[in-house]
Amino acid sequence: MTEGTSPKLDPTRPNSARMWNYWVGGKDYYPVDQEVGDKIIEVFPNILDVARHSRAFLGRAVRHLVGEVGIRQFLDVGTGLPTHDNTHEVAQRIAPDCRIVYVDNDPLVLVHAQALLTSSPEGRCAYIDADVRDPEKILAGAAETLDLGRPVALMMLGIMGNVVDHEEAYGIVRHLLDALPSGSYLALNDGTSVVHGSARDDAIEISNDEGGEPYVSRTPEQIARFFDGLELLDPGVVPTSRWRPENNPFGVPEPVDAFCGLARKP
């Protein structure tokens, strides 16, 4: 797909998926994404830690879901641009028969996903062009690849901050979960401003002022509300850097301004 084939692909405006790709060391971004990304780093250098730890949380959560729980189906909403250890790579490394449906509404993401997110022969990957605000379209597309009568892991990592209305955000997650059976899981992380305060708020203001997608940070208590009615796994809703961190010689990681949790639908 070329830039001229989709009105949604605008290289003159910053895009959160492309800036995220820049922050984690990828190569799939435009000059405007690097420009605004650098402005954000200047006021909030810890965004690099947020990006790194959020990616690491994905890996730890998927490894637990596949290896310890036995989940074999994933619905990854707000995929972002492919980088290292994408959901299907982590999952199929443990169980090659895992099925993964990726969802995004950025045409650049979809082009790269179709080219790079290739399944193992035993499993399957599929891609849906849909906005997070259209859960019915997401579920209809997912049903073509996943068996929604069997447990599914719903992955919503770094996406719900783009739905700035709190009640709308909660309603979207509930709508998706309501369509999934008992034994399904929700893995979610969302941005906060409780660790670095005004620096995080300044970064959000820069992105909004530069024409990026609207974004809102939430409190840990507001993030915890996404898990209402679910069975939260230990350690509950915590900074992504502190959700079951792997052993390392440097001790417990510092908290970051993104909180996460993993929970089971009873």
Side-chain angles (χ1 to χ4, degrees):
M1 182 184 298
T2 64
E3 293 178 10
T5 62
S6 173
K8 294 191 294 183
L9 184 55
D10 185 354
T12 67
R13 295 183 59 187
N15 171 276
S16 59
R18 298 193 306 258
M19 285 194 292
W20 205 260
N21 184 263
Y22 172 57
W23 290 328
V24 298
K27 299 179 181 178
D28 300 311
Y29 53 86
Y30 293 123
V32 67
D33 303 307
Q34 180 176 357
E35 178 184 345
V36 177
D38 284 339
K39 289 181 180 179
I40 290 173
I41 292 171
E42 186 174 344
V43 301
F44 181 46
N46 297 96
I47 189 62
L48 299 175
D49 292 328
V50 170
R52 177 169 57 89
H53 284 295
S54 295
R55 194 69 187 180
F57 166 64
L58 180 153
R60 296 196 299 275
V62 172
R63 285 193 293 273
H64 175 80
L65 289 166
V66 179
E68 303 299 324
V69 177
I71 291 290
R72 295 294 183 267
Q73 303 189 108
F74 291 82
L75 179 55
D76 188 332
V77 182
T79 303
L81 283 156
T83 179
H84 62 282
D85 278 352
N86 303 285
T87 298
H88 78 284
E89 293 171 327
V90 178
Q92 292 181 348
R93 196 175 296 143
I94 302 170
D97 60 330
C98 284
R99 293 189 168 207
I100 296 88
V101 172
Y102 290 106
V103 182
D104 210 290
N105 71 335
D106 183 298
L108 188 64
V109 168
L110 294 170
V111 168
H112 283 263
Q114 290 165 353
L116 299 176
L117 302 183
T118 54
S119 173
S120 67
E122 301 91 338
R124 189 173 174 189
C125 287
Y127 325 94
I128 302 173
D129 181 2
D131 191 283
V132 67
R133 297 170 183 82
D134 193 352
E136 279 298 326
K137 182 177 181 181
I138 291 171
L139 291 167
E144 297 179 7
T145 300
L146 308 179
D147 178 356
L148 300 186
R150 296 174 54 232
V152 174
L154 175 61
M155 313 289 291
M156 307 197 76
L157 307 183
I159 181 64
M160 296 315 297
N162 294 118
V163 183
V164 297
D165 183 89
H166 298 311
E167 295 307 318
E168 182 185 10
Y170 297 132
I172 289 167
V173 174
R174 185 57 51 196
H175 191 141
L176 292 169
L177 283 172
D178 283 348
L180 305 180
S182 173
S184 294
Y185 282 77
L186 171 65
L188 181 146
N189 78 331
D190 212 3
T192 68
S193 298
V194 298
V195 178
H196 295 100
S198 60
R200 173 71 170 194
D201 293 333
D202 290 345
I204 293 171
E205 184 175 354
I206 288 172
S207 179
N208 291 343
D209 288 347
E210 294 286 348
E213 298 94 330
Y215 189 89
V216 62
S217 64
R218 294 190 164 94
T219 66
E221 293 76 19
Q222 289 170 326
I223 294 171
R225 190 177 155 193
F226 284 110
F227 299 98
D228 282 357
L230 305 179
E231 300 168 349
L232 262 171
L233 276 62
D234 289 337
V237 175
V238 296
T240 56
S241 54
R242 294 191 168 179
W243 193 91
R244 303 189 180 189
E246 295 166 340
N247 291 331
N248 68 81
F250 307 107
V252 179
E254 292 297 316
V256 295
D257 260 322
F259 275 59
C260 68
L262 179 64
R264 180 184 182 274
K265 181 177 177 179

